[in-house]
Amino acid sequence: MAQRTAFFVSDGTGITAETFARALLAQFEIQPRMVRLPFVDNLDKAHQAVRQINHAAEVDGKRPLVFTTLVNEDAMDVLRRDCAGLLIDMFGTFIAPLERELGMKSNHRVGRFSDVTRSREYHDRIEAINFTLEHDDGQTDRSLELADVILVGVSRSGKTPTSLYLALQFGLKAANYPLIPEDFERRQLPPALLPHRKKLFGLTIDPQRLSEIRHERRPNSRYASLDNCRYEVREAEALMRRAGIRVLSTTHKSIEEIATLIRQDLEESAGR
């Protein structure tokens, strides 16, 4: 099967184009080579992008897929006229119907991050990221009362990536705390977490999958052995049940799914 290339072209960071395009491409059994072309904000850069796209068309023998969120009309005209790829104008597809429905013209602002650094939401998100990094893997008990959620679970069950995604995507202050053999022997949560029980959310994982993940980090160790993983998962789940903690399995779910489920649960709890 011939190589297929997908381009993400934007006069901003290209994050919107890439995110939307990846969601669309995930519906097809293909693995295209992906090329990001951000900050295409003048005619010269538009011509450079066209040359790169057209070269890929020659090399691949297939026309590239070109996803764009360009709002610069002159740059967009260059792509429309000279691009040898399948041009998918994401903003053009959706902006016109919205303008008609809302009865107003869009502002055609270049890049959704052009003034975001001045917004309160942006600063809250940076604060959440800093908090999450500081409270990764139980590094500190300080200021846990400020956490929106505290994830608990055995080592390598997905706590750190989920915490970071919650902070980056949703602006939530997420701490995470590992459950260790000493906790299982005491048959209770780490003392620092007891005052924050309502903020706790447990992550669990299939022992076989946990063993595979740990073997990548520490091959042939007791830490990674299947027997030890079975023990830790069993004891952690029993401890979380006794504590009445909400638990989610990460075995067959992506980080995005896990974080979204946690956020949904938090919102539902807040509404009750």
Side-chain angles (χ1 to χ4, degrees), residues 207-249:
Q208 180 66 51
R209 178 62 185 139
L210 180 62
S211 178
E212 293 168 3
I213 294 170
R214 287 183 172 184
H215 268 294
E216 293 175 4
R217 189 179 186 187
R218 297 185 197 169
N220 304 316
S221 63
R222 170 166 171 71
Y223 167 78
S225 72
L226 183 56
D227 283 345
N228 183 60
C229 290
R230 284 173 174 157
Y231 164 75
E232 288 194 25
V233 170
R234 181 177 67 249
E235 293 299 317
E237 289 181 349
L239 190 158
M240 290 187 282
R241 279 196 303 272
R242 288 194 299 271
I245 298 174
R246 297 158 288 182
V247 180
L248 178 66
S249 174

Side-chain angles (χ1 to χ4, degrees), residues 142-163:
R142 188 168 57 86
S143 305
L144 281 178
E145 69 277 3
L146 300 178
D148 295 304
V149 63
I150 304 170
L151 304 184
V152 297
V154 298
S155 171
R156 311 302 284 181
S157 59
K159 301 184 302 303
T160 292
T162 302
S163 296

